[in-house]
């Protein structure tokens, strides 16, 4: 497992960037995708062309996802880890939510994860080895005003995790999810000041999380240190839900 190949969805910025950075620092080979190429992606392509691969993929397009997995397998000769990280949020009361918005969140946050997990699991089943980590959210279990569709997708990911863990355990493939609380990324940048202050008051550690803190948990779950852990959702939220 020293020369692992890990796919990370949405590794161009935010939490995905933190996960890619941590994996590259560990010595892994990392393949990631997003719709937009960022300065972070440009820098890694230049610095580590043999160990880093990025492609423009829209996660809501199943054919693009499948082609990406095939491409990564051909390029690196195996896939040991999958981190389902890409996701989008929306701030909209349920009564105001359009069909288009429901479809957009289900496509990116849920259907793409099911498809990517299916496509990668076929490779891992042949290898009889692998670890899958999916980023859900505490909002999936605790709810948040204005996040009904987002919460529905994240709760579904935890359900998927438990079912797939049962299916793939006999093939030595572990499947877990991480439910972060509020992190300092683009996704939370628009939270109004009053709401941010309320979240901080309710968080025992009194701050939002850093992406490196969740990335460290991802690396733990991917690795052999977590060899007996599967089907679990681990919360990292500064104590907000305790
Ligand atoms: N930030 C938080 O407080 C928090 C808390 C709990 C859980 N999470 C979860 O953590 C994950 C990462 O969140 P984040 O805060 O890092 O978000 P972010 O800063 O908005 O980054 C999202 C990443 O996903 C990619 N992405 C979004 N839609 C995509 C699509 N259709 N196709 C391909 N890539 C797509 C983005 O790239 P492009 O836009 O260029 O495609 C970007 O790389 C998400 O699943 C989120 O739900 C975040």
């Amino acid at each position: 497992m020293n020369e692992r190949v890990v796919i990370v969805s949405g590794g161009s910025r935010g939490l995905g960037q933190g996960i890619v950075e941590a994996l590259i620092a560990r010595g892994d080979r990392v393949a990631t995708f997003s719709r937009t190429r960022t300065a972070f992606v440009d820098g890694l392509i230049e610095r580590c062309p043999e160990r880093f691969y990025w492609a423009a993929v829209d996660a809501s397009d199943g054919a693009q996802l499948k082609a990406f997995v095939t491409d990564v397998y051909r390029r690196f000769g195996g896939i040991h880890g999958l981190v389902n990280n890409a996701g989008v949020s929306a701030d909209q009361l349920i009564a105001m939510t359009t069909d288009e918005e429901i479809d957009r969140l289900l496509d990116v946050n849920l259907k793409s994860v099911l498809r990517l997990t299916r496509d990668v699991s076929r490779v891992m089943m042949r290898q009889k080895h692998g670890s899958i980590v999916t980023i859900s959210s505490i909002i999936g279990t605790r709810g948040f005003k204005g996040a009904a569709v987002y919460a529905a997708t994240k709760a579904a990911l935890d359900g998927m995790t438990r079912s797939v863990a049962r299916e793939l355990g006999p093939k030595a493939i572990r499947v877990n999810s991480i439910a972060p609380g509020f992190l300092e990324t683009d996704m939370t940048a628009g939270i109004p000041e009053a709401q941010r202050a309320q979240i901080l008051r309710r968080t025992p550690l009194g701050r939002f999380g850093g992406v490196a803190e969740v990335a460290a948990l991802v690396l733990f779950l991917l690795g052999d240190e977590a060899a007996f852990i599967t089907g679990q959702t681990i919360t990292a939220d500064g104590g907000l839900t305790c």
Side-chain angles (χ1 to χ4, degrees), residues 78-96:
I79 302 172
H80 308 105
L82 167 65
V83 184
N84 287 310
N85 164 78
V88 286
S89 63
D91 182 12
Q92 209 156 51
L93 298 173
I94 189 67
M96 310 298 291

Side-chain angles (χ1 to χ4, degrees), residues 83-225:
V83 184
N84 287 310
N85 164 78
V88 286
S89 63
D91 182 12
Q92 209 156 51
L93 298 173
I94 189 67
M96 310 298 291
T97 304
T98 61
D99 283 351
E100 289 71 26
E101 196 64 348
I102 292 172
D103 287 341
R104 185 177 75 93
L105 261 71
L106 288 178
D107 282 349
V108 179
N109 289 7
L110 180 55
K111 289 190 198 169
S112 81
V113 178
L114 288 163
R115 292 188 175 120
L116 193 54
T117 301
R118 175 196 61 198
D119 295 345
V120 169
S121 73
R122 288 175 179 159
V123 175
M124 289 178 168
M125 282 164 74
R126 287 200 299 273
Q127 295 171 170
K128 296 194 172 52
H129 185 86
S131 178
I132 298 171
V133 178
T134 297
I135 307 298
S136 61
S137 168
I138 56 166
I139 291 175
T141 47
R142 303 297 282 245
F144 196 76
K145 187 177 164 191
V149 187
Y150 179 80
T153 63
K154 293 302 185 178
L157 294 182
D158 290 340
M160 176 204 78
T161 295
R162 289 186 286 273
S163 297
V164 180
R166 288 183 187 278
E167 287 181 27
L168 300 185
K171 302 279 185 197
I173 301 163
R174 295 181 301 100
V175 189
N176 293 288
S177 62
I178 294 174
F182 292 86
L183 310 176
E184 297 287 5
T185 70
D186 293 348
M187 192 175 273
T188 54
I191 295 180
E193 207 38 59
Q195 203 170 20
R196 179 176 276 262
Q198 189 184 46
I199 293 165
L200 292 180
R201 270 198 308 278
R202 291 177 180 170
T203 304
L205 292 183
R207 61 179 176 83
F208 279 24
V211 295
E213 294 170 312
V214 177
L217 183 53
V218 171
L219 260 65
F220 169 72
L221 288 173
L222 282 178
D224 290 342
E225 297 84 356

Side-chain angles (χ1 to χ4, degrees), residues 35-90:
R35 290 164 302 176
T36 319
R37 189 166 164 154
T38 59
F40 167 70
V41 168
D42 286 341
L44 264 189
I45 290 173
E46 202 175 304
R47 200 153 52 84
C48 315
E50 295 87 26
R51 288 202 295 123
F52 178 71
Y53 174 63
W54 173 89
V57 170
D58 185 338
S60 53
D61 183 329
Q64 287 186 33
L65 284 178
K66 195 183 271 295
F68 178 80
V69 172
T70 305
D71 192 11
V72 171
Y73 183 73
R74 289 204 182 120
R75 188 173 289 260
F76 291 127
I79 302 172
H80 308 105
L82 167 65
V83 184
N84 287 310
N85 164 78
V88 286
S89 63

